[in-house]
Amino acid sequence: MVEIKSHEFEGFLQKSVRHYRLFVVYGPDRGLVAERGAQIARSTGVDLTDGFAVIKLDASDIQSDPGRLLDEVNAFGLFGGEKLIWIRGAANEKQLVDGLAHIASHPPEGSYVLIEAGDLKKGSALRKVAEGERSIACIACYQDDARALNGLIDAELAASNMRITPAARQLLLDSIGGDRIASRNEVQKLILYCLKDELIDEAHVIDIVGDASAVSTDEVVDAVLSGDPDGFLHAVQKVIASKTAVFLVLQGTMKQLQTLETMRLEMEERQQQAPQVMQTLGRGIHFKRKPIMEKALRNWNSSDLARETGRLNAAILQSRQNSSLEDNLAIQTLLATTLQSARRNRRA
């Protein structure tokens, strides 16, 4: 098994990545999965702008065409040279798992295979193959802890030759996390806002990132999970009126869904009931919110939660790319999740 832990990745990228041609990058932090996937892709030396050298596929492409992966790996590039087969959105598709197992036993000489997957539970088919073959580098991407977020902030500040006060750093830490790309974008946006200042302080963070404590996003999240469209619209308008960044609402909802996904996986793996999981993994949840979380645990399965989290993550990235559409995009995305919750409540 060749498993690269979070703190080992930078060293792996500098020293060992060249020894591998097969990579599986997975985890609940989809932004970090995408970021590390891109870093690995660049390390291969394949020209990423060459459409003949880089074959980008979705897992569904292989699911509908079982021989596609092997065909692409074994095909010669139109102009020679090495190729990168880059697969996104993987889970545990049988055709992909079988193809990877075959390739792992006969590693390609002229191709690289990079697979980006979601949060694969231990023992799942794709993860089992990836961890069981020494020819595959398996990289797990979990949500950044305080140490990783501080490292991210330090790296971005150093690159711009800027400093931040301790109080501003703590406020920034409270406002980011959950998704690496979204967190990096928030820090970069803050730095860009403060280019004419020598020191970033709390006022800067509040102005550009939003004070995470100004208005609690719990009311919005609870309305989403409860399937209450009217309550959601009322709560999100309060957030907007308070000048709190709507990005924080998207991020807060995504974190809550990721927590639910972890708890639901525990239920499914251990065949437990929602109250049992709440007693172990739900200890940090405020007692007033526990009935809402418990109901959501009963009504959603892990696959649907993973899909919904992916949708929210995509919305976060789109909102960072086009800030003028941030509010509308957030409201539409969260309202769609609210309606999904409402349908599940009616079926329950």
Side-chain angles (χ1 to χ4, degrees):
M1 177 175 72
V2 185
E3 183 177 6
I4 313 303
K5 297 180 180 178
S6 290
H7 67 278
E8 300 172 334
F9 181 75
E10 293 303 325
F12 168 77
L13 200 61
Q14 294 173 13
K15 300 176 182 178
S16 306
V17 68
R18 64 181 181 275
H19 299 307
Y20 297 89
R21 287 187 172 271
L22 307 176
F23 306 90
V24 174
V25 188
Y26 74 93
D29 189 335
R30 287 162 172 79
L32 185 54
V33 169
E35 182 173 288
R36 288 186 170 168
Q39 289 175 297
I40 290 171
R42 288 193 294 270
S43 74
T44 63
V46 175
D47 183 359
L48 302 184
T49 64
D50 184 348
F52 295 104
V54 180
I55 311 300
K56 294 184 178 181
L57 302 171
D58 288 326
S60 58
D61 295 328
I62 297 172
Q63 187 77 354
S64 60
D65 185 359
R68 181 77 180 274
L69 178 57
L70 296 180
D71 289 344
E72 294 291 357
V73 168
N74 294 322
F76 293 103
L78 184 61
F79 300 107
E82 296 186 319
K83 293 170 48 183
L84 170 64
I85 294 90
W86 195 342
I87 302 165
R88 290 176 168 141
N92 290 293
E93 294 81 3
K94 185 177 187 305
Q95 287 79 0
L96 176 61
V97 172
D98 292 345
L100 180 63
H102 178 80
I103 295 168
S105 62
H106 305 82
E109 295 183 0
S111 300
Y112 294 91
V113 177
L114 170 59
I115 299 174
E116 293 182 10
D119 190 12
L120 304 174
K121 62 183 180 180
K122 191 172 180 62
S124 62
L126 182 56
R127 186 171 166 183
K128 190 174 181 179
V129 169
E131 293 177 344
E133 296 285 351
R134 295 195 61 80
S135 59
I136 303 175
C138 190
I139 299 104
C141 300
Y142 296 105
Q143 292 176 15
D144 289 324
D145 56 16
R147 179 180 175 183
L149 288 174
N150 272 306
L152 171 64
I153 293 170
D154 289 339
E156 293 296 333
L157 289 174
S160 302
N161 196 28
M162 297 192 72
R163 296 178 297 121
I164 189 169
T165 67
R169 176 185 289 269
Q170 186 57 55
L171 183 57
L172 180 57
L173 286 170
D174 291 339
S175 302
I176 62 177
D179 181 275
R180 170 67 69 87
I181 290 179
S183 296
R184 188 182 297 279
N185 285 342
E186 286 302 304
V187 178
Q188 290 175 344
K189 184 175 69 172
L190 174 64
I191 290 172
L192 183 63
Y193 179 71
C194 301
L195 278 181
K196 295 182 180 180
D197 299 301
E198 295 182 358
L199 184 66
I200 299 173
D201 60 24
E202 289 175 276
H204 293 128
V205 178
I206 292 172
D207 285 346
I208 198 65
V209 178
D211 184 354
S213 62
V215 172
S216 172
T217 60
D218 286 350
E219 185 179 354
V220 181
V221 176
D222 288 348
V224 172
L225 295 180
S226 300
D228 179 5
D230 292 336
F232 162 72
L233 291 172
H234 176 72
V236 81
Q237 289 302 327
K238 284 171 57 179
V239 170
I240 293 172
S242 73
K243 305 299 182 182
T244 299
V246 179
F247 158 77
L248 294 174
V249 181
L250 271 174
Q251 185 186 69
T253 306
M254 186 175 73
K255 284 183 176 180
Q256 201 73 85
L257 288 176
Q258 288 172 334
T259 299
L260 281 169
E261 184 183 353
T262 300
M263 296 169 76
R264 182 67 200 194
L265 283 169
E266 184 77 4
M267 286 177 60
E268 293 169 1
E269 288 179 1
R270 298 181 179 273
Q271 296 185 337
Q272 293 182 340
Q273 297 300 313
Q276 293 175 283
V277 176
M278 289 293 296
Q279 288 178 359
T280 55
L281 299 182
R283 291 177 180 175
I285 300 171
H286 193 279
F287 73 94
K288 290 184 178 180
R289 305 187 67 238
K290 285 188 175 181
I292 295 172
M293 293 288 286
E294 188 173 317
K295 187 174 184 179
L297 275 176
R298 291 196 299 267
N299 292 349
W300 290 80
N301 59 47
S302 59
S303 298
D304 288 345
L305 285 167
R307 186 195 67 247
E308 210 64 31
T309 302
R311 235 168 35 83
L312 289 176
N313 181 61
I316 288 174
L317 295 180
Q318 290 175 34
S319 70
R320 298 299 86 197
Q321 293 165 357
N322 195 335
S323 58
S324 64
L325 298 177
E326 181 175 327
D327 287 2
N328 288 335
L329 185 61
I331 291 173
Q332 289 175 10
T333 303
L334 291 170
L335 183 57
T337 304
T338 305
L339 295 175
Q340 286 279 357
S341 295
R343 281 193 284 271
R344 281 168 168 75
N345 290 342
R346 285 195 295 269
R347 291 201 301 262

